[in-house]
Amino acid sequence: MKAVVFHGKERLSVETLPAPECAPGEALLRVAACGICGGDARSFFQGDKFTGERRIPGHEAAGVIEAVGEGVARWRPGDRVALAADVHCGDCFYCRRELFNLCDSLAILGKHMDGGLTDCMLLTRRILEHGIIHPVPEGLPMLHAAISEPLCSVLASHDDLAIAAGETVAVTGSGPMGILHLELLRARGARVIVIDLSAARLARARDDFGADLTIDASREDPAGAVKAATGGVGADCVIVAAPSAAAVAQSIQLVRKRGRIGLFGGLPAAEASVALDINRVHYSELRLVGNFSYHPRYHRQALEVLASGAIRAGKLITTYAIEETEKALYDIRGGRVLKAVVIPNQGALL
């Protein structure tokens, strides 16, 4: 099989390796498509203390079950399935309360164990028992199923924030995840304001994805612009989808009294401490919600949303052959693509 192998900072190769074989309790997945996320790009360009010296990356995979080992009852050869990133332990304080994404021993496909940027992926007993795997709905292209994983976290955050139709939501950041927020908010019937520092990204959010209003934070005050667009009240909800301490600090100036703020993305370690106007939080009764990962049910829901056509997956995706993985990573860093998806097996399974 061909596989992408990550060796450390800015070092990867595409190698021919022996295909894995199923032991009892395991399954073999023939990968049709695997997305590359921002975390994969950060690991490549900045290094990653978790992966060790050799790791097959990738946690946004969809494919066809090729073989199953003895004792595997849930899946059979020929099943079309999609994977999500998390593998929990099932036994810690949080798992016992079904807060699986907060598992004390949480493992990530492609980071703590080999992932999906390969022709063939071994689904170990731990992945099958405690990972996130769901059938791909009939009629949903495998290429589109591969972006179900990033959509999970967007769905979960919108539920945490209780976003309703007719509300005004400001999204700070219009990179890949910001655009996914925009797409889902549009489908939910919200009015969406997108804030960014890039005129080009804002034009894409407006012209290609239908943002109701865009605000160039390099040229105007976002708080004043949001207030002007909402009759002086402020947004019902703000989603910070940019790795920016300034955006986090600014979020409490964009939202109305008793509004909600979703801190969707993490920050670089050096910027993780942010000064906030706590009096504004206190006297305006603001709700700050951290959004990290998701319950496994959101993966099934994400596949259903994609199958419904509510998310225009084809507008998001740029495809690459497995040999072009490094080019895809540079395209992600350069902001030239929204969602890079690698197509192993010469696209035969799409």
Side-chain angles (χ1 to χ4, degrees), residues 26-75:
E26 298 180 336
L28 187 65
L29 180 72
R30 181 70 64 174
V31 179
C34 185
I36 302 177
C37 85
D40 296 325
R42 284 191 297 274
S43 293
F44 177 70
F45 289 110
Q46 300 174 18
D48 188 335
K49 65 182 180 180
F50 301 106
T51 55
E53 294 185 359
R54 285 176 62 89
R55 177 70 69 213
I56 299 173
H59 59 254
E60 302 177 359
V64 178
I65 298 291
E66 185 163 277
V68 297
E70 182 181 354
V72 175
R74 182 182 176 191
W75 306 109

Side-chain angles (χ1 to χ4, degrees), residues 17-336:
L17 304 173
E21 296 183 1
C22 295
E26 298 180 336
L28 187 65
L29 180 72
R30 181 70 64 174
V31 179
C34 185
I36 302 177
C37 85
D40 296 325
R42 284 191 297 274
S43 293
F44 177 70
F45 289 110
Q46 300 174 18
D48 188 335
K49 65 182 180 180
F50 301 106
T51 55
E53 294 185 359
R54 285 176 62 89
R55 177 70 69 213
I56 299 173
H59 59 254
E60 302 177 359
V64 178
I65 298 291
E66 185 163 277
V68 297
E70 182 181 354
V72 175
R74 182 182 176 191
W75 306 109
R76 62 185 62 185
D79 285 347
R80 300 166 75 243
V81 301
L83 311 181
D86 295 358
V87 182
H88 57 270
C89 76
D91 193 46
C92 70
F93 175 92
Y94 297 100
C95 286
R96 291 195 301 271
R97 288 155 179 80
E98 296 190 1
L99 299 169
F100 300 114
N101 61 305
L102 301 179
C103 171
D104 283 330
S105 301
L106 190 70
I108 306 296
L109 298 180
K111 186 178 290 291
H112 303 102
M113 59 190 74
D114 284 340
L117 282 171
T118 176
D119 290 337
C120 296
M121 179 182 177
L122 183 65
L123 305 181
T124 63
R125 184 186 294 271
R126 183 181 179 190
I127 294 171
L128 290 180
E129 291 181 354
H130 296 298
I132 302 175
I133 310 172
H134 287 101
V136 174
E138 185 176 353
L140 178 63
M142 298 290 264
L143 179 62
H144 295 183
I147 69 167
S148 57
E149 195 281 334
L151 183 57
C152 294
S153 54
V154 176
L155 285 163
S157 71
H158 289 193
D159 276 4
D160 278 349
L161 294 165
I163 292 171
E167 290 195 305
T168 296
V169 181
V171 178
T172 302
S174 56
M177 299 309 297
I179 293 297
L180 263 181
H181 278 289
L182 169 56
E183 277 284 274
L184 188 61
L185 289 165
R186 179 189 57 78
R188 285 177 179 263
R191 180 193 184 204
V192 188
I193 300 171
V194 177
I195 304 166
D196 205 307
L197 295 168
S198 165
R201 287 196 295 266
L202 289 169
R204 178 176 62 193
R206 180 185 63 248
D207 299 338
D208 296 343
F209 293 97
D212 295 284
L213 175 66
T214 57
I215 299 171
D216 187 339
S218 71
R219 304 182 63 178
E220 59 181 318
D221 171 40
V226 170
K227 290 286 181 67
T230 56
V233 174
D236 297 296
C237 181
V238 175
I239 297 171
V240 183
S244 163
V248 172
Q250 184 182 69
S251 65
I252 63 173
Q253 305 302 327
L254 305 176
V255 72
R256 64 166 171 81
K257 295 176 183 179
R258 267 195 167 258
R260 296 97 68 202
I261 298 167
L263 303 179
F264 182 80
L267 298 178
E271 300 178 32
S273 295
V274 179
L276 295 177
D277 181 350
I278 296 302
N279 279 344
R280 164 77 174 143
V281 176
H282 173 70
Y283 289 109
S284 295
E285 296 191 348
L286 304 185
R287 273 66 174 152
L288 274 68
V289 179
N291 302 129
F292 167 71
S293 195
Y294 41 81
H295 187 282
R297 67 176 174 271
Y298 285 105
H299 187 236
R300 180 178 61 251
Q301 185 178 342
L303 289 163
E304 292 169 352
V305 169
L306 287 164
S308 76
I311 301 299
R312 296 168 292 183
K315 292 173 68 71
L316 298 162
I317 293 170
T318 301
T319 60
Y320 297 82
I322 196 168
E323 294 83 2
E324 298 176 308
T325 298
E326 188 166 338
K327 178 182 185 303
L329 289 161
Y330 278 94
D331 285 348
I332 291 168
R333 185 171 73 168
R336 291 182 287 274

